[in-house]
Amino acid sequence: SSPHPSPSPHPSPNPNPNPNPTPNLNPNLVYPLSPAQRLFLTGYAAVGAFLDPRRDDLVAMLGETTGEVALRGLRDRMAADEVGAALLAERPSITAASIEAAGLHGMPEGSFGRAYLDFMEKHGFDADGRAPVRFVADPELAFVMQRYRQGHDFWHVLAALPPSVLGEVALKWFE
């Protein structure tokens, strides 16, 4: 759950006319992989994440290189649901700006919005800090992965799990 800066200070313009495009889905940052490259990166990420589970960049890489079937399943479930289909069509982002626009600072104690904001502030997290999707070439699946990442800390709040190694493992099981 630790934030990572965007790898490029000057991202290419997003051709998507959506006024709230998903950040970090720059097609210039996506690396299509051959089967050999996918196998190598999967092994590298798995070993590295096992040796240091705090390496969320490797956990993200592992999810991208092994998660196509799960992403397709999530996308299909989203497409079959009215709200999910709207998310796929609009591709909104959970960003610092959208959180500010939602007025979370003014939400009452005990509300989910306030609990999420408190969690993010307590741990020094930033909604814009998620790693970009780099190894999912299909733009729709890349959006599903990015949205999954953006919503990850919601689950921490709902499940009352800390962003520790044990909390992350428990959350992955829950997710």
Side-chain angles (χ1 to χ4, degrees), residues 119-130:
F119 174 87
M120 296 296 279
E121 289 178 348
K122 175 181 178 181
H123 297 291
F125 296 157
D126 178 355
D128 296 333
R130 290 286 170 195

Side-chain angles (χ1 to χ4, degrees), residues 1 49 52-54 59 152 155-156 159-175:
S1 288
D52 186 357
R54 296 167 297 181
V59 173
H152 176 81
W155 294 109
H156 275 287
L161 290 169
S164 62
V165 171
L166 185 57
E168 294 297 336
V169 169
L171 193 57
K172 285 296 175 199
W173 178 82
F174 179 73
E175 288 177 325

Side-chain angles (χ1 to χ4, degrees), residues 51-125:
L51 294 174
D52 186 357
R54 296 167 297 181
R55 293 280 310 269
D56 60 337
D57 60 322
L58 296 177
V59 173
M61 181 187 293
L62 188 59
E64 289 179 36
T65 59
T66 63
E68 185 172 337
V69 171
L71 288 174
R72 287 187 188 285
L74 284 170
R75 190 248 345 256
D76 293 349
R77 286 194 299 276
M78 289 175 74
D81 177 81
E82 183 179 337
V83 173
L87 287 172
L88 288 171
E90 297 168 17
R91 296 190 185 178
S93 294
I94 301 166
T95 64
S98 68
I99 287 170
E100 187 63 35
L104 297 186
H105 282 96
M107 296 235 166
E109 286 295 322
S111 68
F112 174 73
R114 185 55 183 258
Y116 172 73
L117 180 68
D118 291 346
F119 174 87
M120 296 296 279
E121 289 178 348
K122 175 181 178 181
H123 297 291
F125 296 157

